Amino acid sequence: MSANTWTIAAARDALRKGEITAVDLTMSCLTAIDAGDALNAFVHKTPEIALEQARAADVRLADSRKSGGDAPSLCGIPLGIKDLFCTKGVPSQAASNILKGFKPEYESTVTTKLFGDGAVMLGKLNMDEFAMGSSNETSCYGNVVNPWKIDDRQLTPGGSSGGSAAAVAADLCLAATGTDTGGSIRQPAAFTGITGIKPTYGRVSRWGVVAFASSLDQAGPMTKSVRDAAIFLQSMSGHDPKDSTSADIPVPDFEAALTGDIRGKKIGIPREYRMDGMPAEIEALWADGVAMMKDAGAEIVDISLPHTKYALPAYYVIAPAEASSNLARYDGVRYGHRAQLSAGDGITEMYEKTRAEGFGPEVQRRIMVGTYVLSAGFYDAYYNRARKVRALIKRDFELAFADGIDAILTPATPSSAFGLGEMANADPVEMYLNDVFTVTVNLAGLPGVAVPVGLDKKGLPMGLQLIGRPWDEAGLLNHAYVLERAAGFVSKPQKWW
């Protein structure tokens, strides 16, 4: 079994024992990346940086073996980094032409933490432009292709963290960073048969992560197992004074929390998530998940989250509003793309031409929606009303948790992966419906995790979502660990690329 197929946990143990070097492990991944160009997951490869970091990790591992100490869990582990994270001296484009040629002079807090623990960066991963999309079809680098294939179609890996999901599922890296504003870690994880966790808002620093919607964005790990997610999240988490929304609360040992014991825990099943027209296979998968949790000794409780039906409309007012504000800085003045100007053009023409050329259609659509809902005549009718709905959605969850619910089990996506281009001519709302089960978690700032549970009749992976109490990633990951072990999902995509 090639080393690039290992989990973080297996690689960590082999590295600590000296059974493999970080350089050999990194080379195994770099070889897989070069062979995986058809997936279009890695868009900026950084083999020189990777090998330099791997050599440094080997020195650190050797020192810890001599001294009898333990190197950090991520020491020598090769990772992929989503193109939304600023990495010093390495292109960080957010998959947008407007940031073409931008190489930050600084390192995001998340990547600083990962590199501080000895992790290895293999390169930057493809994504939807500015994280806006559910299919990875809005990227300036072109579509990412799902490694799962069942016929002659190319399937979406989901979005916006599609490159991260495809790279992990295809064993191009051991794990990858993702970000989640309305489901962008959990939906691609479900579409590719991997694990993805969106932590509580404020658990992981947003500093140095290109902003989409600042009150919703949260970075998290995308991994091959729940244990790996716990190890990875440990390294990413913690207070950061550079991020005003970062929480100054202790980070528990997430891996130590994986006891596999959830006896007596209460799992909520929200009746509002039984959507009209939900595919029978998703319904059956959900029922299987409920049975698995019950068999593990959990108590299943029917709950109501009455404002769920307003979540998607509220999200698609709040997120574009924040995006229109955040993306105002991309104007061609200081960095990134600047349009060629004609004689007589002034600063206004430079702004207009630069933004028209630099932003793709989906980003333009959301900027226009956002600007509209924030405009003087519509602010109260749309934006303020959406904020009130958001408060009601948060309250629904607070009441459920106040009633003693420990975690909530729902589907992760309304379907398995669909074909690239299949929604090209559809109403944009059709695409937005991919987030129907995930956006409530972002609106309420809660932690949520997607776990692969089975295959549909076509042979594509499907996942379930667990939603946890605020700041209880440890408990949430333990519930996910129980679900993962009960489901026993070990399927991998057949290599065609």
Side-chain angles (χ1 to χ4, degrees):
M1 192 167 87
S2 183
N4 57 294
T5 63
W6 291 0
T7 60
I8 292 175
R12 171 189 63 182
D13 297 346
L15 286 163
R16 282 180 176 173
K17 288 177 191 158
E19 293 168 358
I20 191 171
T21 65
V23 168
D24 285 346
L25 183 57
T26 299
M27 282 305 303
S28 179
C29 291
L30 291 172
T31 304
I33 290 166
D34 285 341
D37 284 346
L39 300 172
N40 200 28
F42 275 89
V43 288
H44 299 292
K45 299 176 187 178
T46 56
E48 295 85 4
I49 294 172
L51 289 167
E52 186 185 326
Q53 289 175 329
R55 284 191 285 270
D58 278 330
V59 171
R60 195 166 168 182
L61 288 157
D63 287 348
S64 74
R65 279 196 294 274
K66 268 188 218 142
S67 64
D70 269 344
S73 290
L74 287 185
C75 190
I77 302 294
L79 306 173
I81 306 295
K82 186 176 179 178
D83 195 38
L84 211 58
F85 293 81
C86 287
T87 41
K88 189 174 179 180
V90 176
S92 305
Q93 273 184 245
S96 179
N97 282 321
I98 207 153
L99 277 172
K100 203 166 195 149
F102 175 57
K103 292 182 180 177
E105 289 299 315
Y106 53 89
E107 195 71 53
S108 76
T109 298
V110 166
T111 48
T112 301
K113 280 174 167 289
L114 296 174
F115 300 155
D117 281 348
V120 172
M121 178 172 76
L122 297 164
K124 302 297 284 287
L125 291 159
N126 204 344
M127 55 178 279
D128 277 298
E129 184 181 5
F130 281 105
M132 298 181 195
S134 304
S135 63
N136 222 132
E137 292 176 283
T138 68
S139 168
C140 72
Y141 310 118
N143 303 342
V144 179
V145 182
N146 193 327
W148 289 81
K149 204 171 173 70
I150 45 163
D151 48 34
D152 56 2
R153 291 177 306 154
Q154 291 190 328
L155 300 175
T156 175
S160 66
S161 308
S164 302
V168 174
D171 293 319
L172 308 187
C173 53
L174 271 61
T177 61
T179 62
D180 191 309
T181 305
S184 285
I185 285 174
R186 291 159 290 151
Q187 184 247 22
F191 274 8
T192 55
I194 64 168
T195 298
I197 180 168
K198 180 206 94 73
T200 311
Y201 183 79
R203 174 66 88 184
V204 175
S205 171
R206 292 184 298 109
W207 194 85
V209 183
V210 177
F212 162 12
S214 303
S215 75
L216 301 161
D217 298 344
Q218 193 60 188
M222 303 183 74
T223 59
K224 298 177 190 181
S225 72
V226 171
R227 183 173 297 279
D228 282 7
I231 295 167
F232 199 168
L233 184 59
Q234 188 85 40
S235 182
M236 291 176 80
S237 299
H239 179 239
D240 177 15
K242 290 192 292 218
D243 173 3
S244 63
T245 58
S246 169
D248 190 2
I249 55 172
V251 179
D253 186 333
F254 296 129
E255 191 181 6
L258 304 180
T259 61
D261 183 3
I262 59 164
R263 285 172 298 184
K265 298 287 186 189
K266 287 187 175 176
I267 307 289
I269 309 297
R271 63 179 71 104
E272 288 78 10
Y273 281 56
R274 291 198 160 80
M275 304 285 180
D276 287 343
M278 187 198 283
E281 286 182 293
I282 299 281
E283 189 84 59
L285 185 81
W286 194 10
D288 288 347
V290 169
M292 289 173 201
M293 300 310 261
K294 202 170 178 177
D295 288 347
E299 183 187 337
I300 305 299
V301 184
D302 277 326
I303 61 167
S304 178
L305 300 170
H307 296 94
T308 297
K309 62 176 175 289
Y310 306 116
L312 212 57
Y315 173 84
Y316 279 102
V317 169
I318 292 168
E322 294 187 17
S324 71
S325 171
N326 277 328
L327 271 58
R329 69 191 70 166
Y330 305 108
D331 53 15
V333 175
R334 291 172 295 275
Y335 49 77
H337 174 72
R338 179 184 294 183
Q340 289 289 313
L341 302 180
S342 311
D345 279 351
I347 186 110
T348 306
E349 287 78 14
M350 187 195 78
Y351 289 160
E352 288 173 351
K353 288 182 178 178
T354 296
R355 291 166 70 82
E357 287 174 17
F359 291 133
E362 181 59 34
V363 174
Q364 291 182 10
R365 177 186 293 125
R366 296 200 199 190
I367 289 172
M368 288 192 289
V369 168
T371 307
Y372 179 79
V373 300
L374 289 176
S375 59
F378 301 103
Y379 188 90
D380 282 334
Y382 291 107
Y383 185 67
N384 249 350
R385 191 172 289 180
R387 282 171 58 212
K388 287 173 186 166
V389 168
R390 180 181 191 167
L392 292 170
I393 288 165
K394 193 165 188 278
R395 182 100 182 107
D396 287 348
F397 283 106
E398 283 167 359
L399 292 171
F401 291 130
D403 276 347
I405 296 297
D406 294 288
I408 295 167
L409 182 69
T410 78
T413 56
S415 69
S416 57
F418 49 89
L420 288 166
E422 280 178 16
M423 289 216 189
N425 300 316
D427 179 333
V429 175
E430 294 269 315
M431 187 68 91
Y432 298 165
L433 286 168
N434 270 288
D435 303 332
V436 68
F437 299 123
T438 49
V439 295
T440 52
V441 180
N442 299 79
L443 289 167
L446 299 172
V449 60
V451 181
V453 175
L455 298 174
D456 68 4
K457 59 176 180 290
K458 293 177 291 198
L460 292 173
M462 297 194 299
L464 289 177
Q465 171 180 240
L466 280 156
I467 303 166
R469 294 165 169 268
W471 312 113
D472 186 27
E473 289 87 358
L476 178 65
L477 284 160
N478 189 40
H479 283 86
Y481 181 58
V482 168
L483 184 61
E484 174 187 63
R485 288 205 305 188
F489 183 89
V490 291
S491 304
K492 299 286 281 185
Q494 290 293 310
K495 194 166 186 299
W496 54 267
W497 57 91

